[in-house]
Amino acid sequence: MAEPMGFFTDTTVCIGCKACEVACKEWNQLSATNGGQNVLSGQSYDNTRRLDGEHWRHVKFVEQFSEDRKEARWLMMSDVCKHCVQAGCLEVCPTGAIFRTEFDTVVIQSDACIGCRACLPSCPFGVIGINPVTRTAQKCTLCYDRMKVGMTPACAQACPTASIQFGPIATLRKKAKERVDALHAQGKAEAYIYGDEDILGGLNSFYLLVDAPEVYGLPKAPKLPTRGLWTSSIFVAFTAAVVGLLGIFSFRERKAKALPAAKGGGGEA
């Protein structure tokens, strides 16, 4: 198996140019929103809004203002599928259309997807969507086709500030730690890494953030849907037992009422 590969995104150097979004759409030949007639959100300069079946990269604009609106801060973050080490989407796919590659990334085979949508709620980050053209579930493949021939994913190739860095996970983790240490030395104690091993076994696309995960639209403690499987199973078994007992009692009650009637009917004959 090849070495695990992924992304390290340093949000502190993202300038929000969206070159990564354009490169992703161009390389993967993704359809334009609403046939190219996208309606502006009217709430932000971010008109892509979210990740879905035809937006595999999304640069978030987080706009923060003081109460008197004299001070402002923009946080920008190029978001993408996290290619989780413990991937909920892969676990629930009924056709095997979602598989783990030799690079430890998670890919959806569009020609094997039946569009059942089971994978959509299983992703704690909400990155998977149905492509309106193919009507199948789609998301970032981490440019699997490019990786197989030794090329850098299109988004990382296009990033002008090296906010998106691609490479072996071990190397990226080391770079991320060095970057956090450097920021701390500059007095930016709020810098930290989101996506260490404590989150779903580790995210193969992880981030350097300077505010709480929720500010960037990321869950603080994402969980797999199967984490509650045992609790749900016990509840279902208990419910089934109660329903079964009620059925038995009901059957015996009806039988008890039917016997006298049958005996009375026999006497009249």
Side-chain angles (χ1 to χ4, degrees):
M1 185 173 180
E3 193 172 10
M5 305 290 282
F7 291 127
F8 161 47
T9 301
D10 182 352
T11 66
T12 64
V13 294
C14 178
I15 58 175
C17 67
K18 289 183 177 276
C20 53
E21 284 191 24
V22 176
C24 176
K25 269 191 169 281
E26 183 177 11
W27 178 259
N28 294 294
Q29 300 182 11
L30 299 177
S31 55
T33 303
N34 195 29
Q37 298 180 339
N38 187 25
V39 178
L40 303 182
S41 68
Q43 300 176 345
S44 166
Y45 289 102
D46 173 20
N47 293 304
T48 307
R49 298 183 180 86
R50 61 184 178 276
L51 292 169
D52 56 32
E54 57 183 3
H55 300 101
W56 298 358
R57 266 279 176 193
H58 173 222
V59 179
K60 295 180 178 178
F61 290 177
V62 181
E63 300 158 4
Q64 298 175 320
F65 297 91
S66 60
E67 291 187 3
D68 58 6
R69 302 188 71 80
K70 291 183 177 178
E71 297 182 1
R73 179 173 76 159
W74 279 24
L75 302 176
M76 298 175 185
M77 169 189 159
S78 181
D79 198 11
V80 73
C81 171
K82 313 305 178 291
H83 295 275
C84 310
V85 173
Q86 299 169 359
C89 60
L90 192 153
E91 290 186 16
V92 302
C93 180
T95 66
I98 304 178
F99 71 102
R100 188 171 297 281
T101 73
E102 64 271 33
F103 302 108
D104 201 28
T105 57
V106 180
V107 171
I108 300 176
Q109 300 177 90
S110 186
D111 57 351
C113 175
I114 58 175
C116 68
R117 298 172 179 260
C119 56
L120 272 65
S122 70
C123 174
F125 302 101
V127 306
I128 306 176
I130 298 296
N131 185 291
V133 176
T134 64
R135 300 185 184 279
T136 59
Q138 293 191 359
K139 68 170 190 68
C140 162
T141 66
L142 220 145
C143 281
Y144 184 45
D145 51 348
R146 292 172 66 99
M147 289 172 63
K148 286 192 291 186
V149 294
M151 297 175 66
T152 298
C155 56
Q157 184 75 39
C159 181
T161 64
S163 172
I164 304 171
Q165 298 183 36
F166 165 75
I169 292 297
T171 302
L172 294 177
R173 294 278 183 202
K174 183 179 178 182
K175 285 185 177 180
K177 184 179 183 308
E178 291 173 352
R179 176 63 176 159
V180 170
D181 290 344
L183 289 172
H184 286 178
Q186 296 171 17
K188 299 178 180 178
E190 66 274 23
Y192 69 99
I193 297 300
Y194 177 88
D196 287 334
E197 288 78 4
D198 57 338
I199 295 181
L200 303 179
L203 305 182
N204 285 338
S205 177
F206 55 97
Y207 304 83
L208 189 157
L209 306 179
V210 292
D211 209 326
E214 298 90 337
V215 171
Y216 297 88
L218 297 170
K220 183 178 181 180
K223 295 180 180 178
L224 292 176
T226 51
R227 289 294 172 86
L229 186 60
W230 283 107
T231 306
S232 300
S233 299
I234 293 172
F235 177 76
V236 169
F238 176 76
T239 304
V242 170
V243 171
L245 288 173
L246 290 174
I248 292 172
F249 289 141
S250 177
F251 175 76
R252 293 183 64 180
E253 186 177 3
R254 289 201 305 270
K255 187 176 181 181
K257 290 180 179 178
L259 282 176
K263 290 179 179 177
E268 291 175 1

